């Protein structure tokens, strides 16, 4: 039977700590089939298995089927595995990996609780239930002190005086340091668009104490003094070739120095300065940054003192309506939709996570859901801790949120990012062993 502890942390906000299951999984050795990939076709698996047998080991070929999700068809695949050891015998599996590598056969130790197949757990889950009828605070998102630098969830929660917080959506961790916290989807903080949407990706929209989950698109358009128009393709991120990117004062660093052209625009949409790329964003201004063809366009149309009108809109693709960007509007482009209208609806391809590794294998997860009554549910599932907690795959994450009463739900960033903070204390066990700095966070605040 599940074991749980319930704690009231604020009027209308309850924390549940749930532990369930027992550790029965052990270790195996998985042979890599295609580079770093551990799965492949039957023909490729048979070829690899023959090489393993020639090296003096007894391989097994394991077939599995990843089920369909809403926008990504299921598939059959095969793995080559060697041996089976109990939880306390990991060293024996590691020894086999070393022996295989000496034979030029790449392999890894695999904990069977992680692979997404049948398991008995255990699971360690933290759940925040925020009752729409009793809670009198508000919801917000934050990118911390700047859009590009990463901060811990607990630091962002403390800055805002939050009752509770969870880490937010996926971010550009491999970008240059000052841009590594840039969200990979939409971000609106206090009505200001700080990161553009990827059309059709799932997001959570927060307005006061109201929350809903939907799919969004955003657009930013510039109208030059001569009446010509251009589309802004990015906000507060590294530009590509022939792009027009908008930087806001929340950037917190200098814009990229890339041979482009920049136009500094004040709060009245008047051009303050035309300059070479690579400078600060002065308080009260925005900077249009052009590369290639868009640099040439900026240079040809912008002049100091002239108007350079910038318009922004965010559209709810379920309703076709614009979302008013008022000071109490906060939007987080979390990651993968997992529930829609009370049913499992996993949008892995649309949301950029279409792989067996992301869909089927178990990882730590951070989840957000909204009930039919409008209550908000935040949950973290710890993982990557063999014998203690196995995490969840996307199917299991959807099942959990449905069981908790969510009608719509989203999978936020997970893995080492998964963090829940309550009253300035981290209440889960981040799998990195310490709290990871992340791009943004979802906050529950008392006012």
């Amino acid at each position: 039977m599940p074991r749980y502890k319930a704690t009231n942390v604020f009027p209308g906000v309850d924390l549940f700590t749930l532990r369930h299951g027992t550790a029965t999984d052990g270790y195996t050795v998985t042979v890599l089939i295609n580079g770093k990939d551990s799965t492949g076709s039957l023909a490729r698996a048979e070829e690899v298995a023959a090489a393993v047998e020639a090296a003096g080991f007894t391989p097994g070929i394991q077939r599995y089927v990843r089920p369909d999700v809403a926008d990504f068809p299921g598939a059959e695949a095969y793995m080559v595995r060697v041996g089976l050891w109990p939880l306390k015998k990991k060293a024996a599996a590691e020894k086999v990996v070393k022996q295989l590598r000496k034979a030029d056969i790449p392999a890894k130790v695999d904990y069977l609780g992680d692979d997404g197949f049948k398991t008995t757990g255990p699971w360690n889950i933290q759940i925040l239930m925020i009752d729409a009828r009793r809670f009198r605070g508000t919801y917000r998102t934050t990118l911390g002190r700047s859009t590009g630098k990463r901060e811990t969830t607990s630091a962002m929660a403390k800055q805002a005086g939050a009752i509770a917080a969870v880490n937010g959506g996926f971010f550009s961790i491999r970008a240059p340091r000052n841009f590594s916290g840039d969200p990979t989807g939409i971000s609106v903080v206090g009505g200001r668009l700080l990161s553009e949407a990827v059309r059709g990706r799932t997001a959570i929209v927060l307005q006061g104490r109201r929350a809903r989950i939907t799919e969004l698109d955003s657009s930013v358009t510039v109208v030059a003094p001569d009446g010509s128009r251009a589309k802004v393709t990015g906000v507060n991120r590294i530009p590509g070739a022939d792009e027009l990117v908008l930087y806001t004062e929340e950037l917190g660093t200098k814009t990229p120095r890339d041979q482009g052209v920049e136009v500094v625009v004040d709060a009245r949409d008047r051009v303050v300065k035309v300059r070479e790329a690579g400078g600060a964003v002065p308080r009260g201004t925005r900077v249009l940054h052009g590369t290639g063809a868009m640099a040439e366009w900026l240079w040809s149309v912008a002049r100091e003192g002239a108007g350079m009108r910038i318009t922004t809109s965010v559209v709810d693709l379920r309703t076709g309506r614009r979302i008013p960007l008022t000071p109490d509007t906060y939007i987080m482009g979390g990651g993968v939709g997992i529930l829609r209208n009370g049913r499992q609806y996993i949008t892995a391809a649309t949301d950029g996570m279409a792989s067996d590794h992301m869909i089927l294998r178990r990882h730590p997860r951070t989840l957000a859901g909204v009930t039919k009554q409008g209550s908000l549910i935040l949950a973290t599932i710890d993982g990557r801790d063999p014998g203690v907690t196995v995490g969840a795959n996307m199917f299991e994450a959807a099942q959990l949120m449905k069981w908790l009463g969510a009608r719509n739900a989203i999978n936020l960033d997970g893995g080492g990012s998964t963090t829940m903070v309550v009253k300035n204390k981290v209440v889960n066990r981040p799998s990195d062993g310490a709290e990871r700095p992340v791009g943004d966070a979802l906050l529950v605040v008392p006012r």
Side-chain angles (χ1 to χ4, degrees):
M1 292 290 293
R3 293 166 291 145
Y4 74 91
K5 177 183 177 182
T7 305
N8 178 254
V9 297
F10 191 81
V13 182
D14 295 302
L15 171 66
F16 297 86
T17 301
L18 176 66
R19 292 180 173 86
H20 179 55
T22 57
T24 58
D25 295 309
Y27 290 96
T28 189
V29 170
T30 300
V31 182
L32 303 184
I33 290 181
N34 297 309
K36 295 182 179 181
D37 200 347
S38 59
T39 66
S41 66
L42 176 58
R44 179 59 181 150
E46 288 174 339
E47 181 183 336
V48 170
V52 171
E53 191 169 10
F57 297 88
T58 302
I61 296 176
Q62 183 173 352
R63 172 187 176 272
Y64 73 92
V65 176
R66 174 181 44 75
D68 293 339
V69 297
D71 59 358
F72 190 56
E76 176 184 82
Y78 296 84
M79 293 186 289
V80 176
R81 288 179 152 173
V82 177
L84 181 63
W85 295 270
L87 188 65
K88 295 182 179 180
K89 298 291 185 180
K90 183 180 180 182
E94 291 172 338
K95 183 178 179 180
V96 171
V97 168
K98 290 179 181 178
Q99 292 170 334
L100 285 167
R101 288 176 178 171
K102 286 181 180 179
D104 292 326
I105 299 173
K108 65 177 181 178
V109 175
D110 229 348
Y111 176 59
L112 290 170
D114 289 344
D115 63 15
F117 307 142
K118 187 176 180 180
T119 185
T120 58
W123 292 272
N124 185 16
I125 303 171
Q126 299 75 37
I127 304 158
L128 279 168
M129 305 287 286
I130 301 129
D131 189 332
R133 297 167 299 177
R134 297 189 296 123
F135 177 57
R136 289 295 176 264
T138 59
Y139 307 132
R140 298 180 195 167
T141 63
T142 179
L143 293 171
R145 292 184 174 90
S146 67
T147 67
K149 293 181 181 178
R150 295 189 289 139
E151 299 176 49
T152 62
T153 302
S154 59
M156 288 188 276
K158 187 174 182 179
Q159 290 163 23
I163 303 160
V166 294
N167 67 286
F170 292 88
F171 52 93
S172 305
I173 193 169
R174 291 181 177 81
R177 182 180 176 186
N178 286 346
F179 289 84
S180 65
D182 174 41
T184 56
I186 190 170
S187 175
V188 172
V189 176
R192 289 172 61 84
L193 182 71
L194 302 184
S195 179
E196 77 278 11
V198 177
R199 181 179 172 83
R201 286 191 178 175
T202 311
I204 182 165
V205 180
L206 308 168
Q207 293 172 304
R209 64 178 64 95
R210 292 177 293 133
R212 59 194 175 91
I213 292 168
T214 188
E215 294 74 45
L216 301 175
D217 194 15
S218 67
S219 65
V220 181
T221 303
V222 179
V223 181
D226 64 359
S228 61
R229 294 172 176 265
K231 181 179 179 181
V232 172
T233 48
V235 180
N236 290 326
R237 64 164 171 81
I238 299 290
D242 300 315
E243 273 203 299
L244 184 60
V245 171
L246 177 69
Y247 295 108
T248 71
E249 62 183 273
E250 290 87 352
L251 180 66
T253 188
K254 289 185 177 180
T255 61
R257 189 178 297 278
D258 58 8
Q259 311 303 313
V261 171
E262 292 183 342
V263 175
V264 182
V265 180
D266 66 17
R268 296 179 300 167
D269 286 345
R270 295 287 174 181
V271 176
V272 176
K273 188 176 184 180
V274 181
R275 70 188 189 190
E276 294 181 352
V281 183
R283 185 179 295 275
T285 72
R286 292 176 286 180
V287 173
L288 291 164
H289 179 114
T291 62
M294 295 314 301
E296 294 176 7
W297 181 77
L298 282 177
W299 186 257
S300 68
V301 300
R303 60 184 185 274
E304 291 185 14
M308 202 79 170
R309 186 160 53 91
I310 303 171
T311 59
T312 302
S313 72
V314 175
V315 176
D316 184 332
L317 296 179
R318 291 195 192 182
T319 65
R321 297 177 181 173
R322 288 190 177 189
I323 296 174
L325 297 181
T326 59
D328 69 342
T329 300
Y330 294 81
I331 301 174
M332 175 182 288
V336 182
I338 54 174
L339 282 182
R340 183 183 292 184
N341 297 328
R343 296 185 178 183
Q344 177 183 292
Y345 196 85
I346 298 171
T347 52
T350 303
D351 294 326
M353 300 292 164
S355 69
D356 288 7
H357 178 75
M358 294 303 296
I359 298 170
L360 189 60
R361 284 187 71 89
R362 294 187 178 93
H363 302 284
R365 302 276 177 180
T366 303
L367 312 168
V370 181
T371 70
K372 186 176 181 179
Q373 294 75 28
S375 295
L376 179 65
I377 303 170
L378 302 174
T380 54
I381 309 170
D382 290 339
R384 298 179 185 169
D385 195 353
V388 178
T389 181
V390 299
N393 60 33
M394 287 190 186
F395 304 106
E396 293 162 343
Q399 290 168 4
L400 172 67
M401 294 307 283
K402 185 174 181 179
W403 178 69
L404 290 172
R407 183 167 175 77
N408 292 281
I410 186 172
N411 179 102
L412 303 173
D413 188 14
S417 298
T418 287
T419 307
M420 179 180 285
V421 175
V422 177
K423 292 186 173 179
N424 294 322
K425 180 181 178 181
V426 177
V427 297
N428 73 312
R429 295 179 61 179
S431 65
D432 284 355
E435 198 179 349
R436 175 188 288 180
V438 296
D440 58 353
L442 193 160
L443 309 174
V444 181
V445 296
R447 59 187 185 282

